[in-house]
Amino acid sequence: MSERPGRRVFNLQRTPFREYDLEGPVQPEMSWLPLSYDAATGQGCYAMRMQPGAVTIAHDHRFMEEFLILEGDLADDDGTVFGPGDFVSYEPGTHHNSHTEGGCLIAVFEW
């Protein structure tokens, strides 16, 4: 792929993901790829991969959080199950946790 000033390209199938630790301790059943995420502000976009059976730590959102399910399934703590193509939006102050039965890949936007 050709270079272009001001453009960054990530291939979610080929770019290595990092250990996931955004809610505190490393969660080995989850990984993430910062795309435009800025750790200093807690805002931006990242991809998150969850292995089958993974559960997020319950957390509060300081900012708006939105995510798009790219692959797999994700269930929220109220039992709602999301699948590919579902776009979910949480307002600041929202408290929740999620889990996946079969694993998933999601694009997360925090702003």
Side-chain angles (χ1 to χ4, degrees), residues 1 7-18 33-37 45 47:
M1 197 168 297
R7 177 177 69 192
R8 296 176 2 169
V9 177
F10 298 88
N11 181 293
L12 300 183
Q13 303 305 317
R14 293 191 305 260
T15 306
F17 279 51
R18 301 178 184 179
L33 176 61
L35 302 169
S36 64
Y37 186 78
C45 178

Side-chain angles (χ1 to χ4, degrees), residues 67 69 72-76 78-84 86-88 90 98:
F67 56 84
I69 308 293
D73 66 89
L74 185 69
D76 219 352
D78 69 355
T80 303
V81 178
F82 309 111
D86 287 336
F87 186 88
V88 182
Y90 289 101
S98 304

Side-chain angles (χ1 to χ4, degrees), residues 30-51:
M30 298 166 51
S31 58
W32 74 305
L33 176 61
L35 302 169
S36 64
Y37 186 78
D38 180 346
T41 64
Q43 297 185 61
C45 178
Y46 58 91
M48 183 166 71
R49 185 173 283 132
M50 298 173 66
Q51 299 303 315

Side-chain angles (χ1 to χ4, degrees), residues 44-104:
C45 178
Y46 58 91
M48 183 166 71
R49 185 173 283 132
M50 298 173 66
Q51 299 303 315
V55 179
T56 66
I57 295 171
H59 56 280
D60 297 307
H61 294 285
R62 287 182 23 208
F63 306 108
M64 177 78 93
E65 179 189 75
E66 298 177 312
F67 56 84
L68 174 64
I69 308 293
L70 302 172
E71 299 173 1
D73 66 89
L74 185 69
D76 219 352
D77 56 4
D78 69 355
T80 303
V81 178
F82 309 111
D86 287 336
F87 186 88
V88 182
S89 183
Y90 289 101
E91 295 181 2
T94 303
H95 177 86
H96 77 117
N97 80 295
S98 304
H99 69 277
T100 178
E101 293 294 320
C104 64

